[in-house]
Amino acid sequence: MTSPLGHPRTVLILGGGSDIAFAIARALIARGTGAFVLAGRHPDVIEARAAALRAAGATAVEVAAFDAEQIDAHEAIVAQAFQRARAISGDVDLALIAFGLIDEASVLDETPAAAGHVAMVNFAGAVSSGLAVAQQLSAQGHGTLVVLSSLAGQRSRPSILPYGAAKAGLDAFTSGLEEALRGSGVRVVSVRPGWVRTRMTANRRSAPFATSPERVASDVLRGLDRGDRVVWTPRLLRLVAPILRLMPRGVFRLLARSR
Amino acid sequence: MTNLDAPGSRRRLTGWGRTVPSVAHVARPGSPEALETLVATASARGATARGLGRAYGDAAQNGGGIVLDCTALDGIGAIDVGAGGATITVGGGTSLEAILRAVLPAGWCLPVLPGTRHVTVGGAIAADVHGKNHHRVGAFSAHVEAFTLHAATGERRTVTRASDPVLFEATTGGMGLTGVIIDATLCLVPIETRLMRVTTMHTADLDATMRALADADGGHAYSVAWLDLASGRGRGMVGAADHATRADAPDASLEAAPRALRLTTPPLPVSVVNRATVRVFNEAWFRRPVPREALQPIESYLAPLDALDAWPRLYGPGGLLQYQCALPAGEEPALRAIVEAIRHAPTVPALAVLKRFGPGSDAPLSFPLEGWTLAVDFPAGHAALGAFLDTLDERVAAAGGRVYLAKDARMRAEIVPLMYPRLDEWRETQSRMDPRGIFTSDLDRRLHLTRGSQA
């Protein structure tokens, strides 16, 4: 159970190699979270993260194999992850969908297959694994699902179009899922960061409102404490996002071209 | 997957402290047969019994599973006066309040009454509740002659201390995990009036309070101390009491007293309990004129907070945590250190109560042990309170003490076997009674009490 002092005891992370997830996990440990199940695609990365979380003070960390594109396996993998969480600690109090894949090239230079993979991971993979988690949380009658989305879901520029389009779809799914879960005891939080300096974005030029995984983590924890349904990070994006959505195409084009 | 066939309506439940909610299928069986049907339908998330929801934490919650609201399993039999005293048989969902209404006019009282009358008999047995007279008469279960237990297997069994001492003791204090109490036969004690003769003493600090409590216990059946831990040196007030005799109150009637004004607390958007308000309240409480000796209705001495309905709402949406621990006699230095630590807790210790326990029982999970018990209410929701209370747990366990499961919402599983060293012995009995692990609760899953709780 999430403690009455506001920290989850047991956390499941899908996309356990994510830098943002890692920062959130460390922030949670500092508050008293003990147990983690990390699921991800690269065993060596996940194992290294697990070791780092143990060193940071986690009492129990389990690892599991998870591939966002293997949609047919998600239900079973998530069910197993919940079982493992119960074996080491208890019900999953907080589940984090943290995996993502970003485009390697601007859309017209991208292979259609690569674009499809980006859409698959960020949208379809998040839908199926997110739903599997939501069903498990609903069946236990409590818990929080945190979905990492992006400011790019508000309006996509050509350089990361499939990514932004997938995040837009994911936001629609997340807000509808939250409505469907009303009365189930399950809470859904959508996290929408601007540009975050991580491994995923390492080879790319930074964008306005760039931030760090640690800042994202502290904003996420603040949002969890406050009961927010959407966490913008940096927090100023709450005001920027509607402007971005509504600005004339010409202005947006100028901004996007400068990137 | 949501179990659409599960009986009852989905409801969000919390304990009395209004923290850690979970959603369960709540069903209210009207008969033992209906209860049996419900228990038989339990899914992997199992079932737990709930009475009037006065456990402070998650003991009567069962997220995703069935919560059996037992309040319709009520009913009060006739008072059976025999050579050895009187008994009464009541439904497991009967409140102590209802029993008192039935027996007080006839000149009888329940021998153990906890700090609220709004608990069910089943809950009182499951938590093995205690009263302000524990030093004289022990806990609630000491005065239970028999109970009928609905076991997970569907079997209904009448249990007495003689017929099955192991199951009797696993159930008293067993937090409802051995089965559901359908009915119980309780001993009654004779009273001459509905009043208590209460002696109140003001004390300057903790040591004076502890001395006054120890002195009071020699001469009085009931005793309790209120502590002001929000300011000053830890002053207090000790209230010692006995049932008033007809000689004490010649005009007193056993008939129902005129109904006292009962106030309620509205839902509040924010907590009104903070260091400033607690200091003001404590100052007024300590300074209010109290006669050294006075006659008080039994209810208002034993359960003063019952006068203010839904009082945890004062703590706002964040709710409250009550920390109640017991420390063995001889561990007074540990008690002093714990009280001193609590005075500097991250959130204000809003209400603190100290009392002496007499010898504990043989029940493996029963809370009382000979020595002291301290109960402190804190506003919940402060991040640093968790680590603070974890350190208190360690001090309590190191001193051979324990934390009361009926009050807890936050303890860690690892510490429980240190506080309740006979946990494994209890698990043996519990799993024999419930081999498929049907009875469980949020508390059980959090503290890994039953063997099945980690599956």
Side-chain angles (χ1 to χ4, degrees):
Chain A
M1 295 291 289
T2 295
S3 124
L5 314 148
H7 62 255
R9 288 164 192 276
T10 312
V11 172
L12 167 65
I13 298 175
L14 299 182
S18 146
D19 290 344
I20 294 177
F22 184 61
I24 292 174
R26 281 191 307 182
L28 287 169
I29 290 169
R31 284 190 170 196
T33 301
F36 293 86
V37 177
L38 301 185
R41 196 153 53 113
H42 302 294
D44 46 334
V45 175
I46 304 291
E47 284 291 357
R49 287 288 154 91
L53 292 185
R54 286 187 201 106
T59 51
V61 186
E62 288 267 307
V63 298
F66 171 84
D67 184 336
E69 292 198 63
Q70 299 294 318
I71 283 168
D72 289 329
H74 285 179
E75 186 176 4
I77 287 174
V78 167
Q80 282 164 19
F82 271 69
Q83 285 304 319
R84 292 173 81 169
R86 289 188 184 117
I88 57 168
S89 174
D91 286 349
V92 172
D93 301 314
L94 189 148
L96 181 57
I97 307 277
F99 54 81
L101 179 64
I102 202 157
D103 304 270
E104 295 286 338
S106 191
V107 67
L108 290 180
D109 300 326
E110 197 172 13
T111 67
H117 282 295
V118 168
M120 181 95 151
V121 168
N122 294 307
F123 181 61
V127 166
S128 63
S129 60
L131 182 58
V133 167
Q135 288 171 342
Q136 290 283 342
L137 293 177
S138 175
Q140 67 183 28
H142 68 100
T144 301
L145 170 62
V146 177
V147 180
L148 286 193
S149 181
S150 170
L151 176 67
Q154 301 299 303
R155 193 164 184 175
S156 301
R157 47 206 161 91
S159 61
I160 50 167
L161 180 54
Y163 178 81
K167 291 295 194 186
L170 180 59
D171 287 350
F173 177 72
T174 308
S175 63
L177 184 63
E178 185 201 11
E179 191 58 28
L181 286 165
R182 263 175 67 91
S184 69
V186 181
R187 191 178 151 200
V188 181
V189 180
S190 175
V191 178
R192 298 173 188 173
W195 194 264
V196 189
R197 289 178 290 268
T198 64
R199 285 187 306 140
M200 187 179 83
T201 62
N203 301 322
R204 309 181 68 88
R205 280 165 57 202
S206 183
F209 309 110
T211 186
S212 66
E214 291 70 30
R215 267 296 302 279
V216 173
S218 74
D219 285 342
V220 167
L221 262 58
R222 178 177 175 273
L224 287 171
D225 289 345
R226 286 162 42 100
D228 290 347
R229 286 157 45 239
V230 175
V231 174
W232 296 101
T233 171
R235 273 143 56 186
L236 184 62
L237 290 185
R238 185 172 65 88
L239 305 175
V240 172
I243 299 170
L244 197 62
R245 273 198 308 271
L246 297 172
M247 77 175 43
R249 279 149 59 97
V251 180
F252 183 70
R253 201 175 296 142
L254 276 175
L255 274 177
R257 195 168 296 153
S258 72
R259 307 302 340 139
Chain B
M1 273 49 0
T2 308
N3 182 357
L4 294 174
D5 300 329
S9 58
R10 274 165 85 93
R11 260 177 59 201
R12 178 181 179 275
L13 296 174
T14 70
W16 192 235
R18 306 174 77 236
T19 57
V20 292
S22 67
V23 172
H25 305 274
V26 182
R28 189 165 181 257
S31 66
E33 291 69 34
L35 173 77
E36 182 172 356
T37 309
L38 284 166
V39 172
T41 63
S43 70
R45 297 292 287 186
T48 201
R50 181 178 176 99
L52 289 164
R54 255 51 173 200
Y56 279 65
D58 48 5
Q61 294 171 219
N62 184 28
I66 298 174
V67 168
L68 302 155
D69 173 346
C70 292
T71 52
L73 298 173
D74 58 353
I76 301 179
I79 299 171
D80 183 4
V81 184
T87 60
I88 192 166
T89 299
V90 297
T94 314
S95 74
L96 302 191
E97 153 83 6
I99 299 172
L100 287 182
R101 261 190 276 124
V103 303
L104 287 177
W108 299 97
C109 190
L110 288 166
V112 170
L113 288 166
T116 170
R117 291 160 287 155
H118 303 288
V119 296
T120 63
V121 168
I125 293 172
D128 198 12
V129 299
H130 56 269
K132 298 177 176 52
N133 55 352
H134 186 276
H135 60 281
R136 284 277 178 91
V137 303
F140 194 84
S141 63
H143 309 275
V144 174
E145 277 214 344
F147 54 79
T148 307
L149 191 69
H150 179 89
T153 53
E155 186 196 356
R156 217 171 289 159
R157 220 191 265 198
T158 299
V159 186
T160 68
R161 241 192 207 87
S163 75
D164 192 341
V166 173
L167 179 56
F168 188 96
E169 280 160 6
T171 302
T172 56
M175 302 312 289
L177 296 167
T178 59
V180 180
I181 308 271
I182 293 174
D183 61 48
T185 302
L186 312 174
C187 300
L188 297 173
V189 290
I191 51 166
E192 294 182 20
T193 72
R194 297 178 63 133
L195 298 170
M196 304 288 277
R197 198 181 61 241
V198 185
T199 307
T200 306
M201 287 151 281
H202 288 72
T203 48
D205 57 28
L206 179 65
D207 281 341
T209 308
M210 289 165 71
R211 273 196 307 274
L213 270 175
D215 291 346
D217 286 0
H220 299 279
Y222 296 83
S223 69
V224 68
W226 169 84
L227 305 180
D228 176 8
L229 299 185
S231 54
R233 288 178 298 153
R235 62 189 173 182
M237 285 162 74
V238 176
D242 298 278
H243 285 285
T245 60
R246 230 167 269 127
D248 295 323
D251 303 329
S253 154
L254 279 169
E255 292 308 308
R259 215 175 164 72
L261 182 64
R262 194 152 177 229
L263 301 171
T264 192
T265 320
L268 299 174
V270 292
S271 173
V272 296
V273 180
N274 55 51
R275 221 165 270 277
T277 57
V278 169
R279 279 187 179 156
V280 169
F281 174 85
N282 284 358
E283 182 67 21
W285 192 252
F286 190 81
R287 299 280 173 210
R288 79 192 203 283
V290 185
R292 199 182 141 72
E293 296 240 3
L295 292 172
Q296 245 186 61
I298 290 173
E299 294 91 332
S300 71
Y301 171 74
L302 292 179
L305 282 172
D306 280 355
L308 182 60
D309 204 22
W311 60 265
R313 285 176 175 169
L314 294 173
Y315 289 80
L320 82 139
L321 281 176
Q322 183 173 106
Y323 190 81
Q324 183 168 5
C325 60
L327 291 165
E331 292 292 343
E332 287 74 14
L335 175 64
R336 283 188 199 96
I338 286 168
V339 168
E340 191 52 33
I342 286 172
R343 292 179 58 192
H344 303 103
T347 59
V348 62
L351 184 63
V353 170
L354 181 69
K355 115 142 239 95
R356 274 162 44 104
F357 272 154
S361 74
D362 287 330
L365 296 192
S366 177
F367 168 65
L369 50 78
E370 184 157 18
W372 300 89
T373 182
L374 174 70
V376 185
D377 290 357
F378 295 99
H382 190 291
L385 190 58
F388 171 75
L389 294 178
D390 286 345
T391 64
L392 286 195
D393 288 345
E394 281 158 24
R395 285 176 171 199
V396 167
R402 53 178 67 137
V403 165
Y404 195 1
L405 299 179
K407 302 287 177 76
D408 181 56
R410 41 135 308 264
M411 240 196 312
R412 291 174 183 277
E414 310 87 79
I415 200 111
V416 179
L418 304 177
M419 295 180 173
Y420 293 90
R422 289 168 65 206
L423 181 60
D424 268 333
E425 180 190 331
W426 176 86
R427 281 180 178 141
E428 193 68 42
T429 315
Q430 196 280 335
S431 64
R432 176 165 57 78
M433 292 303 295
D434 184 4
R436 287 173 49 226
I438 287 173
F439 289 118
T440 183
S441 60
D442 288 352
L443 174 91
D444 177 35
R445 273 188 288 268
R446 177 168 58 84
L447 297 181
H448 305 167
L449 298 176
T450 65
R451 285 193 179 135
S453 61
Q454 277 168 287

